[in-house]
């Protein structure tokens, strides 16, 4: 990825994008796309042919204009066949999610190092956008949290695809089961014997007519399994109501925490299988007048930036999101060069101790809400 910018290109990039009258895709020209993107036709041609020397922001604007106008070009196959393309696509539901942002940052650093261009596309479950141009121009694709709800997760993708936090033919996973053990052992060693658990999405709905193993998520399932088995190994039972389900959002963590803290004998600690849900639990406890960690200890999972910024700082299980993004791009680049790259083993997790956990107060229980 080169940093140089041609002076004339900088001037053209500041031109105001123009509206392009509706036309059939076969009637559209490079000039139509150029007017829409506010760049020159030569810049559009360079992007389509995967040439270097175009700034990432300009390249993204051209790709957006191609998608918006519906432009099609048969000549792009020649660029791919000539080996000039060095583009990798990243698909993510929402870039403003801290999880996705961390993975993309790692992917971007690896792309810069390997002289690849990274194009990030944010898609919702109801998206009907046609991203065929981007995917055909890409030597590989990284899917972040792929879902059954988004059709692009299975169709019209490049030959090489990897995924982070979700299923694909080449999924990158972390040791979710081992991470749950780290969190539970920490709470048990502190002396907690009544520990609530907030789970995430155990699996996505099965799609009729398609094999479900390839697309089933098991991260939340493995964390729940680790929670249960740690309690059993300590000779403790999972009490009725101790497991509440969430969906990895802060709001779902708040709802689950209210149910846990509303039990006749509420837990002295909560292990949430996602940082956002753990922060939701902390906020509910504080709203109820409980001290964290004095009255209630809370552990999360992910170690997103919000975990360190929370007050109190969140004890959590770190998964190496930045590293996973780096390795994903390295893998796609190697596959594009014809190398045989084995699937890496699950990435290790580690416990990050902060201020949200402490030994339970002897002989006391938080009042039910």
């Amino acid at each position: 990825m080169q940093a140089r910018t041609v002076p004339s290109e900088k001037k053209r990039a500041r031109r105001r994008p123009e509206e392009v009258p509706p036309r059939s895709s076969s009637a559209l020209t490079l000039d139509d796309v150029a007017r829409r993107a506010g760049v020159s036709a030569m810049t559009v041609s360079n992007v389509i042919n995967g040439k270097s020397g175009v700034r990432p922001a300009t390249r993204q604007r051209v790709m957006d204009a191609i998608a918006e106008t519906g432009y099609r070009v048969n000549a792009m196959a020649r660029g791919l066949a000539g080996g000039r393309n060095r583009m990798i696509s990243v698909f993510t539901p929402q870039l403003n999610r801290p999880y996705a942002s961390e993975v993309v940052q790692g992917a971007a650093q690896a792309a810069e190092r390997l002289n690849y261009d990274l194009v990030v596309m944010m898609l919702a479950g109801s998206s009907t956008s046609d991203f065929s141009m981007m995917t055909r121009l890409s030597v590989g694709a990284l899917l972040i949290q792929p879902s059954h709800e988004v059709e692009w997760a299975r169709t019209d993708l490049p030959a090489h695809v990897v995924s982070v936090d979700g299923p694909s033919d080449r999924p990158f996973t972390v040791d979710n089961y081992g991470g749950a053990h780290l969190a539970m052992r920490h709470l048990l060693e502190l002396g907690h014997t009544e520990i609530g658990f907030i789970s995430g999405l155990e699996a996505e709905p099965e799609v009729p007519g398609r094999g479900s193993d390839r697309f089933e998520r098991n991260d939340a399932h493995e964390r729940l399994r680790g929670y249960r088995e740690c309690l059993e190994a300590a000779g403790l039972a999972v009490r009725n109501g101790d497991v509440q389900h969430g969906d990895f959002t802060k709001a779902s963590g708040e709802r689950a925490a209210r149910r846990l803290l509303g039990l006749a004998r509420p837990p002295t600690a909560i292990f949430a299988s996602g940082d956002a849900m753990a922060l939701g639990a902390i906020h509910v406890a504080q709203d109820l007048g409980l001290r964290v960690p004095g009255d209630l200890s809370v552990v999360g999972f992910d170690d997103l930036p919000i975990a360190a910024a929370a007050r109190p700082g969140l004890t959590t299980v770190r998964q190496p999101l930045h590293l996973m993004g780096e390795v994903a791009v390295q893998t796609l680049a190697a596959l594009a060069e014809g190398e045989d790259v084995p699937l890496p083993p699950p990435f290790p997790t580690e416990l990050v101790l902060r201020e949200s956990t402490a030994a339970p107060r002897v002989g006391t229980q938080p009042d039910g809400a």
Side-chain angles (χ1 to χ4, degrees):
M1 190 182 295
Q2 299 185 18
R4 67 179 182 87
T5 304
V6 180
S8 59
E9 173 57 28
K10 292 172 72 175
K11 182 177 180 181
R12 292 189 185 100
R14 289 193 293 269
R15 292 190 305 181
R16 186 182 182 86
E18 299 178 20
E19 292 296 327
V20 177
R23 302 164 66 179
S24 68
S25 59
S26 59
L28 289 167
T29 67
L30 285 179
D31 288 333
D32 292 325
V33 177
R35 285 198 304 274
R36 178 67 180 176
V39 299
S40 68
M42 179 61 71
T43 298
V44 175
S45 176
N46 288 341
V47 171
I48 288 174
N49 288 289
K51 292 183 179 180
S52 60
V54 181
R55 293 187 305 165
T58 303
R59 185 183 298 278
Q60 184 67 61
R61 196 161 66 250
V62 171
M63 299 302 281
D64 290 343
I66 290 171
E68 290 165 4
T69 59
Y71 179 72
R72 295 289 183 271
V73 55
N74 295 327
M76 65 183 173
R78 293 198 299 270
L80 293 173
R84 294 191 301 272
N85 180 53
R86 297 184 69 82
M87 184 185 299
I88 291 174
S89 294
V90 178
F91 294 91
T92 177
Q94 285 183 316
L95 188 56
N96 62 355
R97 291 179 181 175
Y99 185 105
S101 179
E102 287 291 299
V103 176
V104 169
Q105 286 182 39
Q109 287 190 6
E112 179 78 26
R113 213 166 42 242
L114 297 170
N115 196 30
Y116 273 82
D117 292 315
L118 206 66
V119 178
V120 181
M121 287 164 272
M122 294 169 285
L123 303 173
S126 58
S127 175
T128 57
S129 300
D130 185 352
F131 291 93
S132 59
M133 175 68 72
M134 290 78 148
T135 56
R136 291 177 196 172
L137 283 170
S138 301
V139 298
L142 164 59
L143 309 181
I144 302 175
Q145 299 175 316
S147 167
H148 276 309
E149 298 175 357
V150 184
E151 189 63 21
W152 51 262
R154 291 176 206 80
T155 61
D156 203 20
L157 290 173
H160 308 299
V161 178
V162 301
S163 62
V164 170
D165 190 23
S168 71
D169 288 333
R170 191 180 285 269
F172 281 18
T173 62
V174 299
D175 183 8
N176 291 290
Y177 177 76
H181 269 255
L182 292 174
M184 289 298 294
R185 281 202 300 268
H186 171 60
L187 292 173
L188 290 168
E189 288 169 1
L190 286 174
H192 293 279
T193 57
E194 295 175 339
I195 303 170
F197 182 74
I198 303 177
S199 76
L201 298 167
E202 288 195 51
E204 297 191 43
E206 184 175 335
V207 176
R210 293 190 176 125
S212 59
D213 341 320
R214 176 183 169 193
F215 295 102
E216 183 173 321
R217 296 178 57 166
N218 70 349
D219 49 355
H221 173 77
E222 287 296 285
R223 295 170 197 178
L224 176 57
R225 184 168 73 91
Y227 162 80
R228 290 185 181 279
E229 292 188 5
C230 272
L231 286 180
E232 291 172 5
L236 301 170
V238 178
R239 303 175 307 161
N240 186 34
D242 272 353
V243 176
Q244 298 292 334
H245 298 288
D247 60 10
F248 292 115
T249 64
K250 180 175 178 289
S252 72
E254 291 174 347
R255 291 191 295 269
R258 288 192 181 276
R259 291 191 292 268
L260 287 168
L261 296 176
L263 296 173
R265 187 174 177 82
T268 62
I270 291 177
F271 171 32
S273 61
D275 282 351
M277 296 190 298
L279 293 182
I282 289 177
H283 291 168
V284 165
Q286 292 170 339
D287 287 345
L288 295 174
L290 302 177
R291 295 177 302 166
V292 178
D295 299 311
L296 178 73
S297 288
V298 179
V299 180
F301 200 113
D302 287 330
D303 195 30
L304 301 175
I306 53 175
R311 292 294 176 268
L314 179 65
T315 293
T316 187
V317 177
R318 174 182 294 160
Q319 50 178 326
L321 303 178
H322 198 280
L323 176 62
M324 293 169 77
E326 285 190 61
V327 176
V329 166
Q330 292 168 359
T331 298
L332 289 171
L335 290 170
E337 296 296 328
E339 297 180 27
D340 183 15
V341 185
L343 183 68
F347 289 77
T349 54
E350 60 178 306
L351 183 67
V352 180
L353 296 175
R354 295 195 180 98
E355 298 81 34
S356 66
T357 51
R361 289 191 296 164
V362 179
T364 61
Q365 283 285 335
D367 295 329

